Amino acid sequence: MTCSDAAAYDESMQDPTAVISLPALLQNFRTLSALAGVPLIAVVKDDAYGHGAERVAHALEREVLMFAVATVEEGARLRVAGIGKDVLVLTPPSCPEEALRAEAYGLIGTAGSFRSLGLCRGRVHLAVNTGMNRYGFHPREIRAACRLAKRRALAVGGVFSHLYDAANFEVRTAQIATFSACADMVRRFFPEALRHLSATGGILAGDAPFDAVRPGIGLYGYAPAGFFCPLTPVMKVYADVLSLGARYGGGAGYAHAPEGSDAFHTLGVGYGDGFFRKRGLGSVGELCMDACVRPGRAEVGTRVCVMDDAAAYAAQYGTTAYEVLVRVGRGVRRVYER
């Protein structure tokens, strides 16, 4: 895999480096916004899919309706970083302390069961289970949930669900119909409730925008399975050549050296940085924890792009760009292009 080194990072270091392009992030946001035609709730959970939630949120704050995170802790970090836009915590609280902390930081909670509705305080969105069976009230519970929210004087500002197979027309249509009926019920009690169902897949399907959409993976340059969109990957990962030597003996890292290889060079990147241990990155065998031994010659100090397409890398291992970005983003240092 090759990619341009020109704008990688300013100094050569032993640690591999993810270069995060904020212009590409903004371009992806605007592409998705134009397709959706409604305001965007930017999903920055799991440290913005490994891209750095605080920096991503600051780059998008002037453009978004609000942000969405997975946990109260993630929302609190955005507040500490100076993010003033609304932040929705997508996971319902599991204890009173979480609900109190969410209220203290001015976050919007999610209620997806009568237990979590009893814990929530202040502002809240109701989650509806339209078929994903992850979180959310059963459709037959929505009326009772709204009544309880009224009795508790909660400020219900929204209702949402999630498409579990957005590329499947029949599945998507059934979920849309269920969500629409549930959202109508919520609006009988809370007329201003914001309705949001579609994430990146729903946006690309051109279906069911309602009042807002919640793109996640699309912001970072990738489309879910079954979709294509001209998005730009935001993260590229670089490593330095740290060693070059003539062949001696029969090994190449944790592998037998291939016949005909008279020299090997070593990159300062390994499975300790979030990459998969089983081959990849041009390695002769399995990656070392902090090193990748490759056949052939390369000048020590040369900067090499080891990943510019997380989806292509993920396909080698039967997984998704989502997993790769989160793993690698946590393992390497990050620098940002403006």
Side-chain angles (χ1 to χ4, degrees):
M1 178 182 298
T2 61
C3 54
S4 174
D5 301 335
Y9 48 93
D10 295 333
E11 53 187 284
S12 179
M13 296 185 68
Q14 286 184 317
D15 294 334
T17 301
V19 179
I20 311 297
S21 172
L22 298 180
L25 175 77
L26 282 165
Q27 182 58 50
N28 291 338
F29 179 95
R30 290 163 184 163
T31 297
L32 294 168
S33 181
L35 289 170
V38 294
L40 270 60
I41 300 169
V43 180
V44 294
K45 65 181 182 178
D46 290 287
D47 204 20
Y49 293 52
H51 293 70
E54 293 90 342
R55 294 294 297 269
V56 166
H58 276 295
L60 296 178
E61 187 169 22
R62 297 176 66 177
E63 311 251 356
V64 301
L65 175 65
M66 66 177 74
F67 294 101
V69 296
T71 66
V72 173
E73 175 61 27
E74 290 177 344
R77 287 202 295 267
L78 292 184
R79 289 287 184 252
V80 170
I83 298 300
K85 280 283 178 74
D86 280 340
V87 177
L88 171 64
V89 180
L90 295 168
T91 306
S94 60
C95 63
E97 290 77 14
E98 281 185 351
L100 283 167
R101 193 169 186 226
E103 184 183 37
Y105 278 98
L107 310 177
I108 302 171
T110 285
S113 66
F114 289 107
R115 181 182 184 277
S116 59
L117 187 59
L119 293 173
C120 283
R121 305 167 64 93
R123 297 188 299 162
V124 64
H125 285 200
L126 302 181
V128 182
N129 178 14
T130 59
M132 190 173 191
N133 294 303
R134 181 169 62 180
Y135 302 118
F137 287 101
H138 191 287
R140 65 170 174 257
E141 299 174 330
I142 289 299
R143 183 190 295 271
C146 290
R147 287 174 174 167
L148 177 57
K150 278 285 190 185
R151 288 199 299 273
R152 295 202 61 232
L154 294 175
V156 176
V159 54
F160 71 95
S161 189
H162 195 72
L163 298 171
Y164 71 90
D165 187 3
N168 185 312
F169 176 79
E170 292 184 358
V171 169
R172 187 175 73 245
T173 300
Q175 284 194 264
I176 290 168
T178 300
F179 178 72
S180 184
C182 291
D184 286 348
M185 176 60 68
V186 172
R187 282 193 154 187
R188 293 183 191 178
F189 291 84
F190 306 96
E192 302 302 317
L194 184 78
R195 302 165 300 170
H196 47 108
L197 173 64
S198 294
T200 301
I203 296 170
L204 299 182
D207 218 345
F210 291 99
D211 304 308
V213 292
R214 299 186 313 274
I217 193 68
L219 293 174
Y220 309 105
Y222 299 92
F227 293 101
F228 170 79
C229 187
L231 301 167
T232 303
V234 172
M235 178 191 296
K236 294 182 180 180
V237 182
Y238 296 83
D240 285 348
V241 177
L242 301 182
S243 173
L244 170 65
R247 176 173 177 158
Y248 177 81
Y254 291 112
H256 290 282
E259 293 297 328
S261 297
D262 63 351
F264 298 94
H265 63 276
T266 301
L267 301 180
V269 62
Y271 66 81
D273 303 303
F275 289 94
F276 294 106
R277 186 181 184 194
K278 190 73 172 177
R279 295 187 179 274
L281 308 187
S283 175
V284 172
E286 294 181 345
L287 297 183
C288 302
M289 184 178 293
D290 305 297
C292 169
V293 180
R294 309 203 307 185
R297 298 179 178 277
E299 185 178 349
V300 173
T302 301
R303 185 175 305 141
V304 176
C305 180
V306 295
M307 189 184 79
D308 63 352
D309 186 338
Y313 178 73
Q316 300 175 42
Y317 299 91
T319 186
T320 65
Y322 301 72
E323 181 183 2
V324 168
L325 292 171
V326 171
R327 285 171 58 99
V328 174
R330 288 174 176 167
V332 302
R333 79 179 184 112
R334 295 183 294 242
V335 298
Y336 293 86
E337 289 182 337
R338 294 181 174 276

